[in-house]
Amino acid sequence: MTPEIIAQLAPHGVLRAGINLGNFLLVTGRDEHGSPEGVAPDMARAVAARLGVPVRFVPYPRPGTLADAAGTDAWDIGLIGAEPQRAETIAFTTAYAEIEATYLVPAGSSIATLADVDRAGIRIASTARAAYDLWLDRNIRNATLLRAESIDGAFDLFTSQGLEALAGLRPRLIADAAALPGSRILEGRFMSVQQAIGTPRANAAAADFLRDFVEEAKATGLVASLIAKHGVQGLSVAPPG
């Protein structure tokens, strides 16, 4: 620990942690004071404890708005999925946890595999600026992406407009499939959301510290213990970086 790291991560004497409230696997509730609870908030608490400073949560309804605030002195660390587009302004650690993203298709669909989805005439409902949506934007060539502002909105878009596929995180799609008799979740994954800790790119010393912290948190079992503590299904410890 050096004064430079403290100055970069706690310039106001407190670690301000940007938290994406829209990720139901990483933020599973709120405590009696209204602070977010879950794996992501606990990871931020662990970083603050290592620094020897208090933590203050800065909540955002969606990951895109958290990423937009990078470099505006709104937060010191942000806990969201690491994506190339976001990495233009945010220095990310390796992932501490992964979440599979795949597709749900309606009853009677002829779509059998992930590769079948990217065809002309296929319409995919997605959540705007989610990590998997950014991946789809870079990789889908023939299908059409239709976006909603929330996960619930994407589900409503899929059902109300009779779309051919719904993109999402596997744990949420399992719940969606239960509400749609005959629907199917495709085997495999088109990507895994890499949940990481980021800091503004100007914080070079802090970025190195955070990368080491995350690797240690995986190796010592901290991440696994937090997943077990909050009873999260569908979230896996990421492999070593």
Side-chain angles (χ1 to χ4, degrees):
M1 191 63 57
T2 68
E4 184 181 16
I5 293 171
I6 296 291
Q8 290 180 2
L9 287 180
H12 303 284
V14 60
L15 178 71
R16 297 168 300 170
I19 299 292
N20 168 31
L21 299 181
N23 191 315
F24 61 95
L25 295 178
L26 293 176
V27 180
T28 51
R30 290 181 179 270
D31 64 18
E32 64 273 17
H33 305 295
S35 295
E37 290 193 315
V39 174
D42 277 357
M43 284 292 287
R45 289 186 178 97
V47 173
R50 180 66 60 85
L51 295 172
V53 299
V55 65
R56 178 188 303 154
F57 296 115
V58 184
Y60 291 87
R62 292 177 293 277
T65 53
L66 192 161
D68 287 344
T72 66
D73 196 34
W75 49 262
D76 305 307
I77 63 171
L79 293 94
I80 53 174
E83 273 293 309
Q85 181 178 325
R86 297 171 183 170
E88 294 176 6
T89 56
I90 300 171
F92 283 106
T93 65
T94 54
Y96 64 84
E98 298 179 323
I99 313 170
E100 285 191 354
T102 184
Y103 300 107
L104 176 71
V105 297
S109 174
S110 63
I111 295 174
T113 69
L114 295 171
D116 292 339
V117 176
D118 192 12
R119 299 187 316 218
I122 301 296
R123 299 164 298 167
I124 305 169
S126 185
T127 304
R129 303 184 68 194
Y132 56 83
D133 180 65
L134 297 177
W135 187 95
L136 292 170
D137 191 53
R138 293 194 306 273
N139 290 278
I140 291 297
R141 296 290 178 264
N142 303 299
T144 300
L145 291 172
L146 298 178
R147 296 177 170 90
E149 289 300 313
S150 67
I151 294 174
D152 289 341
F155 177 78
D156 291 342
L157 186 65
F158 172 67
T159 55
S160 66
Q161 296 195 21
L163 304 187
E164 288 72 33
L166 170 63
L169 303 178
R170 182 178 292 277
R172 168 59 189 249
L173 294 181
I174 291 172
D176 290 339
L180 297 174
S183 63
R184 292 179 291 111
I185 297 173
L186 299 187
E187 292 295 324
R189 62 191 184 190
F190 61 79
M191 62 91 72
S192 287
V193 179
Q194 304 290 295
Q195 294 297 329
I197 303 176
T199 191
R201 281 210 159 271
N203 296 343
D208 290 341
F209 162 79
L210 290 170
R211 278 191 287 269
D212 291 343
F213 176 87
V214 164
E215 289 305 311
E216 179 184 322
K218 291 184 290 187
T220 61
L222 173 62
V223 178
S225 71
L226 294 180
I227 293 173
K229 170 186 173 182
H230 294 286
V232 182
Q233 301 294 319
L235 186 65
S236 303
V237 179

